[in-house]
Every structure is written in C-alpha cells, then in structure tokens.
C-alpha cells in the first residue's frame, strides 16, 4: 500500500493564481482531512470529509474548496492565492470506526509570492 | 481559540533522561487523545493514544498520563534517545464528530548525546 500520497511536493504561486493540491489514499478509509501547518501554530483543520459526496468545513476553511467524488481522492482547491496561504499542507485519512488513527501524507510546501 | 494548549514549545534533554510534554484541553466532550511525532520534512505519525476511561497508557518508552478532572494529559519519554529528536503534537477529538482533531502547537524535542 502507498498509504496517503500528495502531489506536488513543492509549489510556488503568484498572488491571485489558483491551484489544486492532490491527495489520494489506498486504504479504503472513509474519512479524509486537509490540514495546514504553520510554524508555532500546530496543525489546523481546513476541510474534512466523512465519505464520498460529503464534505464539511474545519477551523480555517476561508480561501479553500474541496470535493470528494470518490473514496480514494480528496483534492484541495486554492482560488485567488494570497500570501497568507503560504504554508505546508497535509492530507490525512482514517477509518470511520476504530482505530481512530489519522494517517498523514508527506505534505505539500506552498509559497505564495 | 486554541482548543488544546501544549507546553513547552521546545525541550532539550540529555540522552537517557526523561522528556515530559504537557497538554490541556477545555472541551469535556473530547474522548480520544493521541500524540503524534513528526520528523523534519515528513508528515506526523501516531505515537500513542489514550481514551479517557484510563489514567495511563504505556507503550515501550512512551507513556501517556491522563487527568480527566484537571483536563490535562502528558507524554513521558523515558530513557530519551537522540533518535527521539522530533516535534511532538498532542491532539484531541470527539469521535462522534467525524474525528476532527484539534492539535496543540507542538514541542520541538532535542535529545543531546
């Protein structure tokens, strides 16, 4: 199993550009999550999904959108990128029943200039 | 506001010593408390987790102590090793809400040989 995969690993965007961060998991997990990690701030939940076709906002959803058309994929869309979206983005997945461990991908480092 | 407060921000320990990281939470509905370990350039990985029906859980050199009345939990790393040098995050969630994790701000642990 590849686990949770994320692409790209690094990206530099100009202010106002848009992009999609890709996330896929091959563990047949129902639940998937997007976090951003900023220095000294821990991980903040952006959006999450409890199954295909179902998404909901986390703590910091502004400026982002998600979709979940399949169990495996959970892309994160950034529209009109802003410098405040410079961060490391992590995708994670977990089972809906126990164990409740979230499995994280390797991250995407995004810089908006 | 920060749902889970973590301290200290950084910690330096001699090899063989005990590392202690503390977390506090406010929401009494939280019922799952994991600790994640993150190495530079990698995604977080589950280290150990506890449910509130027990006061302590031990796995090898890692122990979680849980104080439900004080709404606090801590990670103890016994016989700390240089390979334990990483950033540690505590987290909390209410399982019935789709496993939305609230993470602490992280502790950077350095174990000196």
């Amino acid at each position: 199993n590849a686990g949770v995969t994320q692409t790209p690993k690094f990206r530099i965007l100009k202010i106002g550009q848009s992009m999609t961060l890709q996330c896929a998991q091959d563990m047949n997990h129902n639940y998937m999550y997007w976090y951003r990690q900023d220095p000294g701030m821990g991980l903040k939940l952006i959006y999450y999904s409890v199954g295909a076709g179902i998404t909901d906002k986390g703590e910091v959803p502004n400026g982002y959108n998600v979709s979940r058309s399949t169990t495996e994929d959970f892309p994160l869309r950034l529209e009109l990128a802003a410098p405040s979206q410079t961060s490391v983005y992590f995708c994670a997945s977990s089972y809906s029943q126990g164990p409740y461990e979230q499995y994280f991908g390797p991250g995407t480092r995004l810089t908006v200039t | 506001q920060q749902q889970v407060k973590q301290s200290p921000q950084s910690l330096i320990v001699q090899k063989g010593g005990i590392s202690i990281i503390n977390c506090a939470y406010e929401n009494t509905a939280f019922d799952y408390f994991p600790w994640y370990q993150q190495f530079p350039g990698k995604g977080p990985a589950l280290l150990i987790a506890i449910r509130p029906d027990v006061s302590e859980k031990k796995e090898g050199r890692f122990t979680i102590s849980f104080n439900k009345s004080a709404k606090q939990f801590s990670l103890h790393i016994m016989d700390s090793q240089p390979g334990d040098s990483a950033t540690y995050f505590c987290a909390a969630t209410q399982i019935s809400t789709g496993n939305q994790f609230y993470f602490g701000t992280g502790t950077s642990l350095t174990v000196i040989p």
Side-chain angles (χ1 to χ4, degrees):
Chain A
N1 284 352
V4 179
T5 57
Q6 293 183 238
T7 55
K9 287 187 175 7
F10 304 94
R11 184 72 186 268
I12 298 175
L13 278 182
K14 294 189 184 303
I15 294 171
Q17 287 185 322
S18 301
M19 75 164 295
T20 299
L21 280 65
Q22 300 292 342
C23 173
Q25 53 91 10
D26 61 359
M27 297 174 281
N28 203 31
H29 288 166
N30 280 349
Y31 290 2
M32 295 188 74
Y33 314 83
W34 274 106
Y35 293 90
R36 60 176 288 170
Q37 184 175 34
D38 301 300
M41 298 296 292
L43 292 100
K44 298 291 187 183
L45 183 66
I46 304 171
Y47 271 94
Y48 67 103
S49 168
V50 298
I54 306 170
T55 63
D56 209 345
K57 297 177 181 179
E59 290 183 88
V60 290
N62 291 345
Y64 307 94
N65 274 301
V66 293
S67 60
R68 183 99 181 269
S69 57
T70 67
T71 299
E72 295 78 20
D73 300 298
F74 191 41
L76 177 72
R77 179 79 176 165
L78 279 71
E79 304 282 2
L80 298 174
S84 61
Q85 293 177 305
T86 294
S87 187
V88 180
Y89 291 84
F90 288 101
C91 179
S93 68
S94 72
Y95 289 109
S96 54
Q97 305 296 324
Y100 307 107
E101 175 182 359
Q102 290 188 9
Y103 294 80
F104 283 80
T108 294
R109 183 175 294 274
L110 176 67
T111 302
V112 182
T113 63
Chain B
Q1 75 278 20
Q2 193 71 25
Q3 295 263 5
V4 178
K5 296 181 180 179
Q6 183 173 346
S7 63
Q9 185 175 357
S10 62
L11 183 61
I12 300 174
V13 173
Q14 294 278 353
K15 178 182 175 182
I18 302 173
S19 304
I20 301 174
I21 305 171
N22 300 299
C23 284
Y25 64 97
E26 288 298 322
N27 189 344
T28 55
F30 288 153
D31 54 7
Y32 178 70
F33 302 89
W35 284 90
Y36 277 78
Q37 181 187 54
Q38 184 180 30
F39 293 103
K42 305 292 185 183
L46 180 68
L47 188 62
I48 186 173
I50 197 168
R51 300 291 303 274
D53 52 346
V54 297
S55 60
E56 186 175 283
K57 183 174 181 180
K58 184 176 181 179
E59 290 184 1
R61 296 184 294 108
F62 301 91
T63 300
I64 299 178
S65 296
F66 186 81
N67 186 329
K68 189 174 182 178
S69 61
K71 294 186 286 185
Q72 295 175 348
F73 58 110
S74 59
L75 175 69
H76 296 235
I77 305 174
M78 311 300 288
D79 186 26
S80 298
Q81 299 296 313
D84 298 330
S85 297
T87 300
Y88 293 81
F89 293 95
C90 61
T93 187
Q94 182 181 356
I95 291 170
S96 62
T97 61
N99 290 2
Q100 292 185 70
F101 280 14
Y102 294 92
F103 281 86
T105 50
T107 296
S108 177
L109 171 65
T110 302
V111 181
I112 300 172

